[in-house]
Amino acid sequence: MSSGASSRRKGLSSVLGVRSVVGQMFVLQVAVVVLLAVGAVVMLALTSQRDNTRAADNQSLAVAQGFASSPGLVGALRAPHPTAVLQPRVDEARKGSGVDFLGVLNRGGTYYALSSRAGRPGTHTTTDMAPLLAGRTVREKGIGSLGPQIRAYVPIKEPTGAVVGAVGAGITVEHVSAVVTAQLPDVVGAAAGAVAVTTGGAALLSRRLLRQTRGLGPAEITRMYEHNDAVLHSVREGVLIIGDDGQLLLANDEARRLLDLPTDAERRPVAALGLEPPLAGLLASGRRATDEVHLAGDRLLAVNVRPTAPYGGVAVTLRDTTELRALAGRAEAARERLKLLYDAGVRIGTTLDVARTAQELAEVAVPRFADVVTVELLEPVLRGDEPPEGSTAMRRAAVSGVRQNSPFPPVGELVTLALSTPTASDAASGQAVLEVDLRTADRWQAQHPERARQILDYGVHSLISVPLRARGVVLGLADFWRAETPEAFGEEDRSSAEELAARAAVAIDNARRYTHERTMAVALQRSLLPRGLPKVSALELSHRYLPSQEGVGGDWFDVIPLPGARVALVVGDVVGHGVHAVATMGRLRTAVHNFSALDMAPDELLAHLDELVARIDADEAAEEGQQITGATCLYAIYDPVSGMCTIARAGHFGPALVQPDGTVTFLDTPVSPPLGLGGALPFETAALRLPEDSRLALFTDGLLKDRDRDLDTSLDLLRGALSHRDRTPEQTCQAVIDALLPERPRDDVVLLIARTRLLSPDQVADWDIPSDPEAVSRVRAGVTRRLETWGLDRLAFTAELIVSELVTNAIRYGAQPIRLRLLYDSSNLICEVADDSNTSPHLRRAKATDEGGRGLFLVAQLAGRWGTRYTAAHGKIIWAEHALDDGAAEPGTDLADILLGQWDE
């Protein structure tokens, strides 16, 4: 028993020895506990000191404030002997408050009363009295008769707010420190207890560790060594241990194999092992190395060297990277191909333009895959049409290369494949052609021998030709050429080229389909727009219509001749793009023409147009479940007789007016809501008189909207382009387009420029007609004389008949006042008869027994156009126009035929 106990004590002492791990852990734990205890004492002392100081400060302030606000204090200060009155009160207050001193001071800082162990009344304070006299409380640390103090001073104020003195109270720092010192034994005791508990715990842990390691014998330790040795020699990584003297201490089996070491290599200098000099120098130097590649025979080894401090020497690991390099090369090539295909998916097809998509294919493959890339497309594909079967006539669509001045045909040149060549047959079948060495490629050279020679002289040595095939149809051909790159194309490159071509073909086909649809939409749109501007004498006109590059829209314009030499100007915009917007635009344009034929005022016309758009919305909402129609419109009527222009607009930009001197203003005409709101608000008009030779500019929002500039900048650019008064409308249109629009507009643009003209007074004649049938003959005579003045004698007979019929109808069926007006412009003779009646005549075929009813029929036969329009206030105007350039002559016998035809059944 004694020997066993003795051995356990020896074991325990060895375990708890300073050199043992357990002993070191024990010493570390004790040190940590002691440091924590000391830290806790210090922190507690500092915390207690701070808390007690704050409590002392608050206590001093509370006592001073309480005494300063006590009743009768101000009166005591004004007593003949303040000290006699205040000293008993101060002594009693200090004893009950726990402060070390309490006193009452006058305005000069002298204590009238002071209760303290070391002070007495009459003592002068060291505190600055200025803040107190200003009515502020003072809290400070200072040195007084009792030593360092924490004190507070509170001013004594009269009811009026005047300061008559102060009350001071304080606690000494010694008093505060005594409180902290009283707590230290408890803290030290707690720290000592923690050290004792830690020491006991460490001893208990040590005994438990001794019991757990008692069963480990030499056999187990030997087995552990054998396991480590087996692992060392079985790993696929060479391991060397080299001593400080440069001798090899240990080499595992993999290291012997990689370095081809002799069996007696251990304990020999590294320099004597027959290694390559760079590798031997690295191992002998002992310097650190990380994955340095060195040659060992026919192997490339990655070498890592690390010192084995503090034992001396270095440990070396070796990895064979020969096969790894080859595998990494293949992996890198595969990664590059994947990245190329990824970039192709991102960069090819960014637009819906066929030629641009072909160019993107050429650019993405140069120089990462090929040195030159050419792309040919069938001509129908470039136009957006379906490619024909069996066609080999292609148009060069894209070329990209690392060098300039290549012998390849430029973009736009026709490239024809000979039908007898294998390349043409492979292209038709969709098979890629790989020509590793073009110098020996007879079938390629047979297509164009002369051009083949030029290409070979340029340095091109390898080719992959891939048909661009999408949805079972060949669209064109992509050729990948290598000249600068010495390696020829291989089978893996053919797969990459086919993948590139497949992705590009889908993008090209999408662009082709979009081009086809857009071409159809543009054709539909242009068919619905005016083919040209009508010839009117009231205005000199010019226009521009530019479709959007992103899709056709619903912008439109119109110039509509109206009776009385007037002209209607229309500009509108349907919301959205595509065929639906174009079709809606056609419907609205037709409606505007129909409403204009009724000679409606601009606000009335927009109201009817708004009702039409709302009805279209309702119909489409019932069918499609959503409202997708909306439109804006500006409608203006210009009268060259009076120079008045009446304008109404629904959600549209107002026109710009250019005065004859070049001044540009944007007309502040009333703006009404866009069309389609169902008449929620009324439409308003603005009427203004335009001087002759002024210009109106009507436009859609596509002219002003731009992502790179704000609206004010666009308006300034428009103002600058319009301000040149010496330009014709055609020149002005071009100047505006050049100043505001990019090469490829993002939205449809309509611009209409109209220069105003006025009819001179000599071109207008009018008569007041009394309600007397005999006045008709006098009117006819006056008309004849006016026509002779205008040089229109040949129209006298026709004009007399028309005037006679219209005036007779007005006298018979109309109401006063009745007025006749003749207008003579450059192309028409216009007759207008106005009266105050709302009744409108109707054209009809008179029966054989009717005595009348043939006058309007005669007018309709003789005049080019005729009709009725109602005036704004009351009444109507019946008008008839006769064109001056139609070669009309006196009717002669033709008039008899016309009249006799009335009785034909």
Side-chain angles (χ1 to χ4, degrees):
M1 290 292 293
S2 61
S3 61
S6 175
S7 63
R8 284 194 296 274
R9 282 195 299 273
K10 291 180 180 180
L12 181 59
S13 62
S14 64
V15 170
L16 290 176
V18 176
R19 293 187 177 181
S20 67
V21 175
V22 176
Q24 293 174 0
M25 290 177 58
F26 172 74
V27 172
L28 179 62
Q29 289 177 345
V30 172
V32 169
V33 172
V34 171
L35 289 176
L36 290 176
V38 172
V41 171
V42 173
M43 291 299 295
L44 180 60
L46 293 176
T47 303
S48 299
Q49 182 76 18
R50 184 179 67 251
D51 294 341
N52 291 330
T53 300
R54 186 183 299 111
D57 182 58
N58 294 335
Q59 183 178 358
S60 301
L61 178 63
V63 172
Q65 289 178 337
F67 196 85
S69 61
S70 61
L73 183 60
V74 175
L77 288 174
R78 297 188 179 279
H81 300 285
T83 302
V85 178
L86 294 174
Q87 187 63 37
R89 295 177 60 182
V90 168
D91 291 336
E92 182 179 358
R94 185 187 70 80
K95 293 178 183 179
S97 63
V99 297
D100 292 324
F101 82 90
L102 178 66
V104 179
L105 301 88
N106 61 13
R107 288 178 57 85
T110 302
Y111 283 96
Y112 278 153
L114 177 63
S115 176
S116 171
R117 298 194 306 272
R120 62 182 181 275
T123 304
H124 193 276
T125 182
T126 60
T127 299
D128 184 10
M129 291 296 294
L132 292 169
L133 296 179
R136 297 195 300 271
T137 299
V138 176
R139 303 168 71 173
E140 61 180 11
K141 289 184 180 180
I143 299 178
S145 58
L146 296 177
Q149 303 169 349
I150 299 170
R151 57 198 182 189
Y153 292 89
V154 178
I156 303 173
K157 299 180 181 180
E158 290 182 334
T160 62
V163 176
V164 298
V167 174
I171 299 175
T172 62
V173 175
E174 179 182 1
H175 187 179
V176 175
S177 300
V179 176
V180 176
T181 304
Q183 299 174 349
L184 288 179
D186 297 334
V187 177
V188 173
V195 172
V197 171
T198 301
T199 303
L204 181 62
L205 181 62
S206 300
R207 292 179 62 87
R208 184 176 180 183
L209 180 61
L210 179 63
R211 289 195 301 270
Q212 290 178 350
T213 59
R214 184 175 301 171
L216 185 61
E220 286 77 9
I221 296 176
T222 301
R223 187 179 304 110
M224 291 176 59
Y225 171 78
E226 291 174 348
H227 288 169
N228 293 339
D229 187 66
V231 171
L232 178 66
H233 290 284
S234 63
V235 295
R236 291 293 304 275
E237 189 171 87
V239 179
L240 302 175
I241 304 296
I242 301 174
D244 289 334
D245 54 0
Q247 289 187 350
L248 180 62
L249 302 179
L250 174 66
N252 69 347
D253 294 343
E254 183 67 10
R256 292 177 182 275
R257 185 185 71 83
L258 295 176
L259 299 177
D260 197 17
L261 297 177
T263 56
D264 59 345
E266 293 177 349
R267 298 299 175 182
R268 292 175 58 181
V270 172
L273 297 178
L275 304 177
E276 298 287 340
L279 177 59
L282 172 63
L283 299 182
S285 67
R287 66 177 177 84
R288 298 172 66 94
T290 301
D291 286 339
E292 287 191 14
V293 179
H294 289 270
L295 187 64
D298 57 350
R299 297 187 178 92
L300 288 175
L301 303 181
V303 183
N304 291 273
V305 181
R306 294 290 185 274
T308 56
Y311 307 105
V314 294
V316 181
T317 59
L318 309 169
R319 293 196 313 276
D320 189 358
T321 64
T322 307
E323 297 178 356
L324 225 74
R325 282 295 179 90
L327 183 60
R330 292 194 296 271
E332 180 66 18
R335 188 185 69 82
E336 287 296 326
R337 284 195 295 271
L338 289 175
K339 189 174 186 303
L340 174 64
L341 295 177
Y342 171 77
D343 291 344
V346 173
R347 294 174 54 184
I348 298 176
T350 58
T351 66
L352 289 173
D353 183 83
V354 175
R356 179 58 193 160
T357 304
Q359 186 64 35
E360 288 170 346
L361 167 61
E363 291 174 354
V364 80
V366 176
R368 297 162 60 183
F369 182 72
D371 298 318
V372 181
V373 175
T374 59
V375 181
E376 294 84 35
L377 297 176
L378 296 170
E379 288 197 87
V381 174
L382 290 170
R383 298 192 301 267
D385 298 333
E386 288 286 342
E389 295 184 4
S391 176
T392 58
M394 301 184 185
R395 186 75 63 179
R396 177 62 48 84
V399 177
S400 180
V402 295
R403 285 190 289 167
Q404 302 297 324
N405 302 322
S406 67
F408 299 96
V411 173
E413 183 169 322
L414 186 65
V415 178
T416 304
L417 299 179
L419 293 175
S420 59
T421 59
T423 304
S425 61
D426 290 340
S429 63
Q431 299 296 322
V433 176
L434 170 62
E435 298 290 356
V436 179
D437 188 356
L438 288 178
R439 291 182 293 272
T440 61
D442 297 334
R443 64 177 189 172
W444 170 74
Q445 296 182 25
Q447 296 183 58
H448 300 285
E450 179 61 26
R451 183 162 291 164
R453 184 186 60 79
Q454 295 175 359
I455 292 175
L456 291 175
D457 293 342
Y458 184 71
V460 176
H461 59 82
S462 189
L463 163 68
I464 299 178
S465 185
V466 188
L468 296 172
R469 190 179 183 89
R471 301 177 179 92
V473 179
V474 175
L475 307 175
L477 197 65
D479 293 330
F480 302 89
W481 314 80
R482 276 189 178 173
E484 305 293 327
T485 306
E487 295 83 8
F489 286 117
E491 289 297 330
E492 292 184 354
D493 295 320
R494 185 193 337 226
S495 300
S496 299
E498 289 175 341
E499 183 66 25
L500 275 175
R503 297 192 180 197
V506 173
I508 290 173
D509 191 57
N510 289 337
R512 179 194 65 79
R513 290 170 176 265
Y514 169 78
T515 302
H516 179 70
E517 293 179 1
R518 185 176 183 277
T519 301
M520 293 179 58
V522 169
L524 173 63
Q525 184 182 40
R526 291 196 179 277
S527 68
L528 295 175
L529 288 172
R531 299 297 179 90
L533 298 180
K535 184 178 179 180
V536 293
S537 58
L539 298 169
E540 181 184 355
L541 298 164
S542 183
H543 78 287
R544 289 291 187 277
Y545 172 75
L546 300 177
S548 168
Q549 295 299 320
E550 299 179 358
V552 293
D555 292 20
W556 90 92
F557 68 97
D558 254 316
V559 176
I560 306 173
L562 297 177
R566 297 170 304 142
V567 181
L569 303 177
V570 189
V571 173
D573 183 5
V574 176
V575 175
H577 293 83
V579 177
H580 175 269
V582 174
T584 304
M585 176 268 290
R587 297 173 69 179
L588 296 184
R589 180 170 177 258
T590 302
V592 170
H593 271 269
N594 293 335
F595 295 146
S596 297
L598 299 176
D599 211 346
M600 293 182 177
D603 55 341
E604 184 181 358
L605 183 143
L606 290 183
H608 285 287
L609 207 60
D610 176 71
E611 182 180 357
L612 174 62
V613 174
R615 190 181 308 117
I616 293 174
D617 278 347
D619 294 342
E620 292 180 350
E623 295 180 2
E624 303 177 12
Q626 57 180 353
Q627 294 185 0
I628 56 176
T629 302
T632 64
C633 184
L634 184 147
Y635 188 86
I637 297 178
Y638 174 68
D639 186 353
V641 177
S642 62
M644 294 298 296
C645 183
T646 307
I647 302 172
R649 58 189 178 113
H652 203 88
F653 278 105
L657 174 63
V658 185
Q659 299 288 346
D661 61 355
T663 304
V664 180
T665 57
F666 294 99
L667 298 179
D668 187 19
T669 56
V671 58
S672 301
L675 302 175
L677 299 184
L681 294 173
F683 292 94
E684 301 180 57
T685 61
L688 61 154
R689 190 179 302 276
L690 301 183
E692 187 173 12
D693 201 32
S694 59
R695 283 169 289 167
L696 272 179
L698 285 67
F699 48 86
T700 56
D701 58 355
L703 183 69
L704 301 179
K705 291 193 301 185
D706 192 284
R707 299 175 185 174
D708 300 326
R709 62 173 182 259
D710 56 23
L711 180 60
D712 291 337
T713 303
S714 297
L715 291 174
D716 290 340
L717 292 175
L718 178 59
R719 181 181 288 108
L722 293 173
S723 61
H724 299 272
R725 63 179 183 177
D726 55 340
R727 288 175 177 168
T728 65
E730 176 64 23
Q731 293 171 338
T732 302
C733 273
Q734 190 58 47
V736 170
I737 296 301
D738 294 341
L740 278 88
L741 292 184
E743 182 179 354
R744 299 169 64 89
R746 297 188 179 96
D747 194 5
D748 286 13
V749 175
V750 165
L751 174 63
L752 184 61
I753 304 292
R755 174 180 286 172
T756 61
R757 297 169 179 165
L758 289 176
L759 293 181
S760 67
D762 294 339
Q763 294 176 278
V764 181
D766 52 10
W767 295 267
D768 292 326
I769 309 298
S771 298
D772 183 2
E774 295 181 357
V776 177
S777 61
R778 296 193 298 271
V779 171
R780 285 201 305 265
V783 169
T784 301
R785 289 191 297 270
R786 175 61 65 162
L787 293 179
E788 290 175 354
T789 304
W790 288 341
L792 301 177
D793 306 60
R794 62 187 179 86
L795 297 179
F797 183 74
T798 303
E800 285 183 8
L801 287 177
I802 294 175
V803 169
S804 178
E805 291 298 332
L806 295 182
V807 171
T808 300
N809 283 341
I811 293 174
R812 180 176 299 178
Y813 304 110
Q816 285 289 342
I818 301 173
R819 190 172 185 83
L820 167 65
R821 185 172 74 165
L822 289 182
L823 302 176
Y824 168 43
D825 62 13
S826 60
S827 57
N828 292 293
L829 176 65
I830 305 169
C831 173
E832 296 180 345
V833 177
D835 68 83
D836 204 39
S837 171
N838 287 328
T839 60
S840 176
H842 296 282
L843 182 65
R844 65 184 178 87
R845 184 178 293 274
K847 297 180 181 179
T849 57
D850 291 343
E851 295 183 359
R854 298 172 181 83
L856 284 181
F857 184 85
L858 184 63
V859 170
Q861 296 297 319
L862 296 177
R865 294 195 309 159
W866 78 279
T868 304
R869 73 176 187 268
Y870 293 93
T871 59
H874 194 265
K876 66 179 181 298
I877 297 175
I878 302 176
W879 55 270
E881 290 184 2
H882 194 288
L884 301 181
D885 55 355
D886 62 354
E890 294 298 327
T893 58
D894 293 338
L895 180 59
D897 294 337
I898 294 172
L899 293 175
L900 292 174
Q902 284 287 293
W903 282 270
D904 295 339
E905 292 296 328

